[in-house]
Amino acid sequence: MLLRRLPHSGGKPKNSPCRTMPLQLQLLLLLCLAFVGHVSAQFDRTISEQESKSVVLPCPVNEEKCGKLHSLNWFKGDDRIAAMLLGDSNVTSVNKEFEDRVTVEQNPYRLVIKDLKIGDEDIYLCDTTFFIPEETCDNFNGYRVELRVLVPPTEVVILDAKGDRIENGSVVGPMQERQALKATCTVKNTRPQPDVGWFRGTKRLATYSPTHDLNDGLYTSTLELDWQLSREDLAQDIECRVESAAIKSAIVTKFSVDLQVPPKSILIKGVEHHTVQGSKVVLQCDIYGARPAVNLTWYNATATISPEENDLTEIRTKAFEKEDGTYHTQSELVFNATRFENDRVFKCEAENIVLQINREKPISSTKTLEVLYPPVVKVSPPEMVTNTSEIVLLNCEYFANPASLTQVVWYRNGDIVNVNDTDHYQGGNSENVALVIKSTDKEDVGNYSCQLSNAIGKGISEQQIDLDVQYVPLVEVLMIPEGPVKESDESNVTLFCNILEANPSVLTKVRWYANATLLKELPDCEETREDLCHIDPSKLLLESIGRGFFYNYSCEGFNAAGWGPRSEEKELMVHYEPGPATLTHFPPIAVKKKSVIFSCSVDDPGYPESNRFVAPQTQPQPQEQLPQANSKQKFTSKSTPHNPTPLIAYHTVQALSPHEADMAFEALLLQKQQELQQLQLQPASSSLSSALTSSIASSSVSRPAVHEIKETHALIDLHLNHSLCTLLTLTTYTPQSQILTLYTGAQQQSTSSMSTSTSSTSLSSSYALYRKMGKFTFVAQMVLQPNRYRWLRGGRGPLQDIVTKDWTVEPVGLDSRTNYSCYAYNEGGKGVMATVNLEVHAPPFFIKNLPQYTGVLHSTRNANLTCRIECVPRCEISWQKDGTTIEKNDTRYFIKEKYMDASPATGDFESMLSVLHFNMSNWPNSKFDISADNANYTCVSTGNSVGPGIKSGTYLGIEYAPINTTVANTTVYVQEDTIPGRVICKSYGNPEPSYEWRFKDKIITRGSALIINTPMQRNDNGTYTCLAFNKHGKSTAETVIEVQFKPRCEIERREIDDQDTLICTAFGNPVEADFSWSIKAENETVEYLGSGDEKAFADKSFYVLQEDYAIARTYRCVANNTVGSGAFCEIEVAAGSALFIWWQEQLAWWQRWEKTTLIILVAAILGLLLAVIIICCIIICVCRRRRRQDKLHDKSSSLGEPLTEPGEYENLPFHGLQTAPNKHVSDFEDPYKSSNTYIY
């Protein structure tokens, strides 16, 4: 048995067993010495963890490359702390010092240290031993882990110059500018050594270097600060920042300084040139840059100003702290200017504690004030009463400085009097200040005042002249209720003669008129009854209103100034209901989605004639026909609603919807046409012409008052001249109101020109309509008289949005199958209702048609197509395949049909449902053919009485999972750090397959093309899989990408055929490589030795060393393949030793031996060694088996037993060692290989 054991670095090598052998076996000694080397120390990994926590130290073991693991040892520095023996029962041993905190774990192999201490910081080695190592194993030096123990600081303390602690975030001071700030920052008990610095904001302050004290493995660091304070330190934090690997982020401990500085500047501002007497003067004094804020004093000349001594003087002082910590002090001196403040000097003086400590004078600023005076005015007399057309004098006196006037203004009730109107006024200027009114009227009533101006300002009189001018009343007629009035109510109406303008505003007498004829003058004290004498003459009561009260009412008022003019006339209307309605509709049978027109008509339109907008009026009666009102007689009229209507001045209709407003406009056009026709048809009597002229004139002169509108209203202003009407509509049913004004577009026409259109039944004209967003024109035309109607549908209503004679229902639907009712109405009431039932048919229409495409899995057992067609009357459905009707005797199909009821929820009429089923049991192989059974299927219906037949088609596609998946290239070669070309993947399926490319069970791209846009690396070498899939399944294909790269090399030294040989091995892709050998001497010169001998190896080259070298040499090898040349590798070969030279001298006596004898001797020795190894193995196996049997019999725990049998442990390579053995390898070993122990 040959035992090869490489000791770990740092220890002394043990005596090799080869030295105890006889001198004759020096050949074996040479072989042993060839494997002895030195391993340079290095770290494979560094791990940091905080004290008292647990840490895991890994030990990577690759049993696939190195073989089965025999045992494992953990070393801390040079001391072994744990071991693990692997076998049928794993045995672990831990040093007593660490047995409470250290455990060795398997799968994966690692060392766990609990309750980490500072003394645990060291370099840890994991040393492994394998039973039978593989040639591919590259683990020689073991696995080293550097463990660092972290301890965060216990505290960070800042001390002042006296040694007192400064708390975090506290304020130090107060301190003066240019004073030195001294502090010390101490970081206690931390590891590793921290970085400490003083900062002000982002600026690091200049300090001495910190001191670091180490005690029990922990550092205490101290850094002192000596800093001269300046204004730059205002509102700044002084920070001590500590950074260390033991803390995640820097620890900041800070404090601020209460720094005091003197003021920098002072400024006084306020009145620039002069001020006016009585004005409020504000002088503002600003002091900047002081900390703390200053104390401020105001002076008037040399006297201190105190608000307590003068109630009209106010001092307001405020201090504002700035971002830098200084204060801006602002003081305002407020007083009312008088002539006594003229040419006075005002001074502002300020100081703070810094100026007082330094014994410096306060800072100050001064301001000189100038005061000017406006005129002082007085008017007389205070009161004056007069009548119209009289002369009035208004006096104005004044005094001012300067005395010259630049302007004279008279005011009446706050408005300027136009003294330039010399026809009405005289004076009122700078030459003659008094104002003379030549002839008074009602507009002169008011309070008069005089305002005078000089170069300085204005002065107005505090007193006023109250001028009162009396004038006759201007009145209007008001009705309560306003009307119209229903005849059936028999209600009362009160007329009021309302004052619009009068002075005095009290009516002592009132004359009442009906159709311009005097009806009554109140009060009437000549009657025998006193109830008409002591009454309010402005009220007239009309009782039990009927059709005979249809008049235009007006009034005249009397006061102390006399009788006023007669008011405009106001109409009183009486309404009654229309007659029964008649309802028809077209077409007689309605069709779905089309329209049906309902028409409602009445023979008796009622009064007003179902026309909401034009009110017929009675003919004006001669004055002698008007009844005289008395205490016993009700005010009535003998006229009837069917009398010819007189011309109307205007009419106002309220609370209209937008649709009704349009109807109002049409009605007014018709009314205007009718009135023009009546003017031409009436007899030319002098009395009627006179009345007509009077009516037109009165309506043309004055316009009605427009009342405030809060809803949607139509205001109609109809003037009986030869122009059309004006319609003003204000709509408020939208979020933002829009005003539309309709202006007449027709020109003034003469009587002769109007006579030509007498026979016309319609009137058309263009009008301009203005909105907020622009202007447009339209043509209005009226053919029929619009009536007022109400509609009901299905017994529900009336409908609020339908008020016309004709109602178009569009579109007609299922809910249209119901009854419809209508009736006419006016302000007098509603007529009798008419009702009809509507029948509705539906043409063929798809409720559910066939989709454009229908996909069916070729192996499905259940497939069908469905279509549903709405049709009333009923229609029939048939099915077609590729244009050919499917017969009922075709066993591959069967059809199910049903006539469905109407669905009110969806609005669908009665419908025909047809389902085409595929009888798969009668199809070949009981499934679809993926290529032959793709076809177009069509659902076809017959027509009915209201529509033609319809049809719907679908393409039936037979679907299947992807098949025949292939790739364009099964193998792709690409060099390292280059981008490979694309690889196309193709598959067949329905629906069209989707593609994914996978590598190492990860999706790298989607799509049929494998496109890699990043340079390839060695670990990208492998098999790439294309996955084609759809909703029915998936299929795969593979391509292999070979990543080629430059070779690296390794050199090892062996004896081959009794020759000392160097072997250079290349590791690259492709494996085939060429080699170049060279020697680097001590003077850095290089000698090339050729390519060596490959001996049928594609990746190896052999170079035989010469036997007569006496100096150390460095041999280099360079390998290259088709990609390029790799880096050189080298090995240092030492000069021959004395032992080696002596050994060569002793070989002379071997010449007496035959070569065969020498071979037999060596073979015998090897056989003997092999026999010893076999015997030892047998003994170990027997001992282990016996031990297991003893454990089974005793059923005892193995926790207290020794780790191994005595004989077994003695056979371990590390038996009897207290420290880890040293291992030596050549310096040319790959640094990425780890150290292991091999047993052959």
Side-chain angles (χ1 to χ4, degrees):
M1 169 180 168
L2 176 60
L3 174 63
R4 182 186 177 194
R5 170 78 178 176
L6 296 181
H8 93 90
S9 64
K12 296 181 179 180
K14 292 290 182 176
N15 293 330
S16 173
C18 297
R19 293 188 177 182
T20 60
M21 292 184 180
L23 185 62
Q24 293 80 2
L25 300 181
Q26 293 183 12
L27 180 61
L28 296 179
L29 174 62
L30 179 62
L31 182 62
C32 293
L33 292 176
F35 288 99
V36 178
H38 179 268
V39 178
S40 60
Q42 63 181 5
F43 307 137
D44 294 291
R45 185 174 178 182
T46 300
I47 297 177
S48 299
E49 187 54 81
Q50 291 192 1
E51 183 184 19
S52 74
K53 293 187 177 181
S54 298
V55 66
V56 177
L57 306 183
C59 181
V61 176
N62 192 343
E63 294 187 335
E64 294 182 358
K65 296 178 63 177
C66 296
K68 186 177 180 182
L69 183 65
H70 176 267
S71 60
L72 182 147
N73 293 277
W74 278 97
F75 294 89
K76 177 180 180 296
D78 294 334
D79 299 328
R80 184 173 60 204
I81 61 172
M84 175 181 285
L85 179 64
L86 304 176
D88 295 336
S89 59
N90 297 335
V91 180
T92 302
S93 174
V94 179
N95 193 308
K96 290 184 179 181
E97 181 182 354
F98 300 94
E99 62 183 356
D100 294 334
R101 298 189 298 112
V102 175
T103 56
V104 182
E105 297 183 357
Q106 183 181 3
N107 295 326
Y109 298 100
R110 57 185 184 177
L111 182 70
V112 180
I113 303 176
K114 302 177 181 178
D115 190 16
L116 196 61
K117 301 181 182 301
I118 296 177
D120 294 335
E121 182 173 307
D122 208 333
I123 299 173
Y124 290 78
L125 169 66
C126 174
D127 187 33
T128 53
T129 303
F130 298 88
F131 279 103
I132 302 177
E134 301 291 340
E135 293 182 358
T136 58
C137 185
D138 55 0
N139 191 349
F140 293 102
N141 296 330
Y143 191 80
R144 288 175 174 79
V145 180
E146 181 184 18
L147 177 61
R148 296 178 181 177
V149 180
L150 306 179
V151 180
T154 57
E155 63 176 341
V156 178
V157 180
I158 299 179
L159 305 177
D160 59 12
K162 298 180 180 179
D164 295 332
R165 181 165 182 165
I166 300 176
E167 298 296 335
N168 185 23
S170 61
V171 179
V172 176
M175 300 182 72
Q176 305 295 324
E177 187 178 10
R178 297 186 298 275
Q179 187 177 349
L181 173 65
K182 296 183 179 181
T184 303
C185 181
T186 303
V187 184
K188 298 183 179 180
N189 301 327
T190 183
R191 183 181 182 87
Q193 180 176 298
D195 180 21
V196 188
W198 285 99
F199 288 84
R200 184 188 66 199
T202 58
K203 179 181 178 181
R204 184 160 189 158
L205 304 180
T207 60
Y208 298 104
S209 300
T211 61
H212 304 281
D213 296 331
L214 182 62
N215 186 16
D216 294 334
L218 298 178
Y219 289 92
T220 297
S221 302
T222 303
L223 180 62
E224 296 182 352
L225 173 66
D226 189 354
W227 185 254
Q228 185 176 8
L229 298 174
S230 65
R231 281 185 178 267
E232 295 181 355
D233 299 311
L234 287 168
Q236 296 285 342
D237 288 333
I238 306 299
E239 300 178 353
C240 174
R241 298 183 187 176
V242 180
E243 296 181 351
S244 172
I247 53 179
K248 295 183 179 179
S249 59
I251 298 176
V252 178
T253 304
K254 60 185 179 180
F255 65 92
S256 60
V257 180
D258 182 7
L259 182 61
Q260 295 179 341
V261 294
K264 294 180 65 178
S265 62
I266 183 171
L267 175 64
I268 185 171
K269 55 186 178 180
V271 179
E272 296 295 335
H273 302 291
H274 63 268
T275 185
V276 181
Q277 180 181 2
S279 299
K280 179 178 288 187
V281 177
V282 179
L283 298 181
Q284 179 175 311
C285 183
D286 294 283
I287 300 94
Y288 300 92
R291 179 180 176 87
V294 299
N295 297 321
L296 187 143
T297 306
W298 284 95
Y299 294 90
N300 184 349
T302 58
T304 303
I305 299 176
S306 176
E308 290 79 7
E309 298 177 359
N310 189 348
D311 295 337
L312 300 179
T313 302
E314 180 184 2
I315 297 178
R316 299 192 292 256
T317 302
K318 297 180 290 185
F320 308 96
E321 186 174 2
K322 299 297 184 179
E323 293 181 356
D324 61 354
T326 62
Y327 287 87
H328 167 206
T329 302
Q330 185 179 85
S331 179
E332 292 181 349
L333 175 62
V334 183
F335 59 92
N336 292 329
T338 66
R339 61 179 179 269
F340 301 104
E341 280 78 26
N342 189 35
D343 293 332
R344 289 295 182 93
V345 177
F346 291 84
K347 182 174 70 172
C348 172
E349 187 177 272
E351 66 176 355
N352 70 351
I353 190 173
V354 179
L355 293 177
Q356 295 173 357
I357 293 175
N358 297 333
R359 297 183 179 180
E360 298 179 10
K361 293 183 179 181
I363 61 175
S364 63
S365 179
T366 61
K367 186 77 173 179
T368 303
L369 187 64
E370 181 182 3
V371 181
L372 303 178
Y373 313 97
V376 177
V377 186
K378 180 180 180 181
V379 294
S380 62
E383 295 181 358
M384 184 178 294
V385 179
T386 185
N387 292 327
T388 56
S389 304
E390 294 185 3
I391 299 175
V392 175
L393 174 62
L394 307 178
N395 294 319
C396 181
E397 299 175 355
Y398 73 96
F399 63 92
N401 184 21
S404 59
L405 299 178
T406 58
Q407 187 183 21
V408 177
V409 180
W410 279 90
Y411 291 91
R412 181 181 65 247
N413 296 331
D415 298 328
I416 298 177
V417 177
N418 184 14
V419 297
N420 296 325
D421 184 5
T422 57
D423 294 337
H424 192 65
Y425 300 103
Q426 182 180 351
N429 49 48
S430 57
E431 290 78 14
N432 186 8
V433 179
L435 179 65
V436 177
I437 302 176
K438 296 180 179 180
S439 179
T440 57
D441 59 20
K442 64 179 181 180
E443 304 297 335
D444 295 325
V445 176
N447 296 319
Y448 287 80
S449 59
C450 178
Q451 176 182 287
L452 305 180
S453 303
N454 62 3
I456 305 306
K458 300 177 181 179
I460 191 169
S461 60
E462 296 181 359
Q463 303 83 14
Q464 292 181 338
I465 301 174
D466 184 8
L467 178 61
D468 187 14
V469 180
Q470 297 179 345
Y471 54 88
V472 297
L474 179 64
V475 295
E476 67 174 351
V477 175
L478 300 179
M479 292 183 181
I480 296 179
E482 283 195 30
V485 180
K486 290 185 179 181
E487 183 181 34
S488 58
D489 293 341
E490 295 185 356
S491 58
N492 300 332
V493 174
T494 302
L495 304 181
F496 294 88
C497 191
N498 184 46
I499 298 176
L500 298 178
E501 294 180 359
N503 189 18
S505 58
V506 176
L507 299 180
T508 58
K509 294 181 182 181
V510 176
R511 293 173 183 169
W512 289 96
Y513 295 86
N515 284 356
T517 302
L518 180 61
L519 181 63
K520 195 69 175 176
E521 180 178 335
L522 297 177
D524 186 2
C525 295
E526 296 180 359
E527 297 289 340
T528 56
R529 296 188 57 181
E530 295 183 358
D531 56 350
L532 295 179
C533 182
H534 304 287
I535 62 172
D536 183 0
S538 64
K539 297 181 181 179
L540 179 63
L541 177 62
L542 306 180
E543 298 179 345
S544 300
I545 296 299
R547 303 179 190 183
F549 285 84
F550 202 108
Y551 289 102
N552 291 327
Y553 295 89
S554 59
C555 68
E556 292 178 356
F558 179 85
N559 65 357
W563 284 99
R566 186 163 62 91
S567 68
E568 293 184 358
E569 295 182 339
K570 190 159 188 179
E571 181 183 36
L572 177 61
M573 298 179 63
V574 182
H575 295 167
Y576 68 94
E577 69 277 0
T582 302
L583 180 58
T584 60
H585 64 88
F586 181 83
I589 298 178
V591 180
K592 182 182 179 182
K593 294 186 178 180
K594 293 187 178 181
S595 62
V596 60
I597 301 175
F598 293 91
S599 297
C600 189
S601 61
V602 291
D603 295 333
D604 181 6
Y607 187 82
E609 297 179 355
S610 301
N611 183 338
R612 184 167 188 166
F613 312 109
V614 180
Q617 291 189 349
T618 59
Q619 189 80 351
Q621 298 179 357
Q623 186 169 352
E624 63 271 15
Q625 295 180 359
L626 291 175
Q628 300 296 323
N630 51 46
S631 59
K632 296 183 179 180
Q633 182 182 14
K634 295 183 180 180
F635 180 47
T636 60
S637 173
K638 297 180 180 179
S639 61
T640 63
H642 301 285
N643 293 337
T645 59
L647 299 179
I648 307 173
Y650 64 91
H651 181 55
T652 301
V653 180
Q654 296 183 350
L656 296 182
S657 66
H659 179 71
E660 291 174 328
D662 295 336
M663 294 176 56
F665 170 65
E666 295 177 355
L668 286 171
L669 292 180
L670 178 61
Q671 174 67 18
K672 172 59 68 174
Q673 177 189 7
Q674 294 173 349
E675 291 171 352
L676 294 178
Q677 292 175 356
Q678 290 176 2
L679 287 174
Q680 300 173 13
L681 295 176
Q682 287 177 352
S685 61
S686 59
S687 60
L688 182 57
S689 297
S690 177
L692 206 54
T693 303
S694 176
S695 177
I696 294 175
S698 63
S699 62
S700 300
V701 171
S702 61
R703 292 178 176 268
V706 179
H707 300 286
E708 181 181 358
I709 302 171
K710 296 183 179 179
E711 299 179 2
T712 302
H713 291 194
L715 301 185
I716 303 169
D717 184 8
L718 180 61
H719 297 284
L720 297 183
N721 48 24
H722 298 302
S723 65
L724 294 179
C725 66
T726 298
L727 176 64
L728 188 66
T729 303
L730 173 63
T731 58
T732 59
Y733 55 88
T734 56
Q736 292 184 348
S737 300
Q738 294 189 4
I739 298 179
L740 300 88
T741 306
L742 177 65
Y743 297 94
T744 176
Q747 300 295 330
Q748 296 290 339
Q749 299 179 0
S750 62
T751 306
S752 60
S753 62
M754 288 186 292
S755 62
T756 59
S757 59
T758 303
S759 60
S760 175
T761 59
S762 63
L763 183 64
S764 298
S765 181
S766 296
Y767 296 90
L769 193 62
Y770 291 89
R771 289 183 178 171
K772 288 183 178 180
M773 301 303 295
K775 170 184 177 181
F776 63 94
T777 61
F778 71 99
V779 177
Q781 184 175 11
M782 180 63 198
V783 178
L784 297 175
Q785 174 178 325
N787 294 327
R788 297 175 63 192
Y789 298 92
R790 285 296 188 186
W791 293 84
L792 291 83
R793 180 172 180 170
R796 297 181 180 179
L799 305 179
Q800 298 299 321
D801 55 343
I802 310 298
V803 294
T804 57
K805 173 181 179 296
D806 296 328
W807 178 22
T808 301
V809 178
E810 183 179 9
V812 175
L814 181 62
D815 58 345
S816 300
R817 285 179 173 176
T818 184
N819 58 69
Y820 294 82
S821 305
C822 76
Y823 60 86
Y825 74 100
N826 60 13
E827 283 74 3
K830 64 179 182 179
V832 179
M833 183 185 303
T835 304
V836 296
N837 290 317
L838 181 65
E839 182 180 357
V840 183
H841 286 180
F845 178 79
F846 278 103
I847 297 177
K848 180 178 182 182
N849 59 351
L850 296 176
Q852 186 177 1
Y853 172 81
T854 302
V856 179
L857 186 62
H858 73 103
S859 59
T860 185
R861 306 301 300 172
N862 184 17
N864 59 74
L865 299 175
T866 303
C867 72
R868 182 181 175 186
I869 300 176
E870 175 187 62
C871 52
V872 179
R874 176 173 176 169
C875 57
E876 300 298 332
I877 296 178
S878 61
W879 290 87
Q880 296 178 356
K881 176 182 179 182
D882 292 332
T884 304
T885 302
I886 298 176
E887 302 297 338
K888 293 184 178 180
N889 57 2
D890 191 340
T891 59
R892 294 177 301 171
Y893 310 94
F894 63 92
I895 301 173
K896 292 184 178 181
E897 293 182 343
K898 181 180 180 181
Y899 193 64
M900 309 289 291
D901 294 333
S903 174
T906 60
D908 296 328
F909 283 68
E910 290 80 2
S911 58
M912 177 63 71
L913 175 65
S914 179
V915 182
L916 175 65
H917 292 272
F918 292 81
N919 190 3
M920 298 308 301
S921 60
N922 292 333
W923 287 72
N925 299 323
S926 297
K927 64 180 181 178
F928 292 109
D929 187 276
I930 62 176
S931 59
D933 290 335
N934 295 282
N936 289 297
Y937 287 82
T938 307
C939 171
V940 183
S941 78
T942 60
N944 62 6
S945 60
V946 292
I950 58 175
K951 62 182 178 179
S952 174
T954 183
Y955 180 78
L956 184 68
I958 309 305
E959 299 181 350
Y960 53 94
I963 58 175
N964 299 332
T965 303
T966 58
V967 292
N969 307 92
T970 57
T971 303
V972 177
Y973 296 94
V974 61
Q975 292 187 5
E976 189 177 19
D977 295 327
T978 60
I979 297 175
R982 66 174 58 190
V983 180
I984 305 300
C985 180
K986 186 176 182 181
S987 182
Y988 299 92
N990 189 19
E992 185 68 22
S994 300
Y995 298 88
E996 289 181 353
W997 282 91
R998 296 175 177 265
F999 179 64
K1000 295 180 180 180
D1001 296 330
K1002 294 183 178 179
I1003 299 175
I1004 58 174
T1005 185
R1006 300 182 187 275
S1008 60
L1010 173 60
I1011 302 175
I1012 300 176
N1013 296 321
T1014 57
M1016 300 293 286
Q1017 303 299 322
R1018 302 180 186 183
N1019 55 358
D1020 296 328
N1021 191 81
T1023 301
Y1024 290 74
T1025 303
C1026 170
L1027 176 66
F1029 62 93
N1030 60 14
K1031 64 181 181 180
H1032 300 301
K1034 59 185 179 180
S1035 178
T1036 60
E1038 295 180 347
T1039 183
V1040 178
I1041 297 182
E1042 290 283 348
V1043 181
Q1044 299 179 340
F1045 53 90
K1046 298 177 182 179
R1048 65 175 179 87
C1049 64
E1050 294 181 359
I1051 301 176
E1052 61 177 332
R1053 185 177 178 184
R1054 291 183 184 178
E1055 183 175 352
I1056 301 177
D1057 297 333
D1058 297 332
Q1059 292 180 326
D1060 193 0
T1061 306
L1062 297 180
I1063 305 173
C1064 183
T1065 304
F1067 301 92
N1069 191 8
V1071 178
E1072 295 80 5
D1074 296 330
F1075 298 87
S1076 175
W1077 289 88
S1078 62
I1079 298 176
K1080 183 182 76 171
E1082 293 181 354
N1083 56 0
E1084 298 298 328
T1085 59
V1086 178
E1087 177 184 354
Y1088 293 96
L1089 303 178
S1091 61
D1093 185 6
E1094 295 188 1
K1095 295 185 179 181
F1097 289 96
D1099 60 342
K1100 296 180 184 295
S1101 176
F1102 300 83
Y1103 182 79
V1104 179
L1105 296 175
Q1106 299 178 359
E1107 298 181 356
D1108 56 350
Y1109 60 89
I1111 60 175
R1113 295 184 177 183
T1114 300
Y1115 288 82
R1116 289 182 175 179
C1117 174
V1118 177
N1120 70 86
N1121 58 11
T1122 57
V1123 180
S1125 299
F1128 66 84
C1129 54
E1130 61 183 20
I1131 186 173
E1132 183 176 352
V1133 179
S1137 61
L1139 178 62
F1140 180 77
I1141 297 174
W1142 174 84
W1143 177 73
Q1144 282 193 333
E1145 293 176 354
Q1146 298 297 322
L1147 286 179
W1149 64 271
W1150 286 4
Q1151 295 178 358
R1152 294 174 296 176
W1153 288 15
E1154 295 181 357
K1155 186 175 182 179
T1156 303
T1157 305
L1158 184 59
I1159 293 174
I1160 293 173
L1161 177 60
V1162 172
I1165 294 173
L1166 294 176
L1168 180 60
L1169 293 175
L1170 180 62
V1172 173
I1173 290 174
I1174 293 174
I1175 293 172
C1176 292
C1177 291
I1178 294 174
I1179 293 173
I1180 291 173
C1181 293
V1182 171
C1183 291
R1184 287 183 177 179
R1185 184 176 302 173
R1186 182 174 301 170
R1187 183 182 179 186
R1188 286 196 297 270
Q1189 291 176 356
D1190 293 342
K1191 288 181 179 180
L1192 292 175
H1193 290 300
D1194 297 340
K1195 296 182 181 180
S1196 61
S1197 175
S1198 62
L1199 295 177
E1201 296 295 331
L1203 293 177
T1204 59
E1205 293 293 335
E1208 182 179 0
Y1209 186 79
E1210 292 174 358
N1211 292 325
L1212 292 179
F1214 53 81
H1215 172 62
L1217 299 179
Q1218 296 299 325
T1219 61
N1222 296 322
K1223 294 185 179 181
H1224 302 276
V1225 295
S1226 300
D1227 293 337
F1228 64 85
E1229 290 290 348
D1230 191 345
Y1232 295 95
K1233 292 185 178 181
S1234 58
S1235 175
N1236 289 276
T1237 301
Y1238 300 88
I1239 299 178
Y1240 290 87

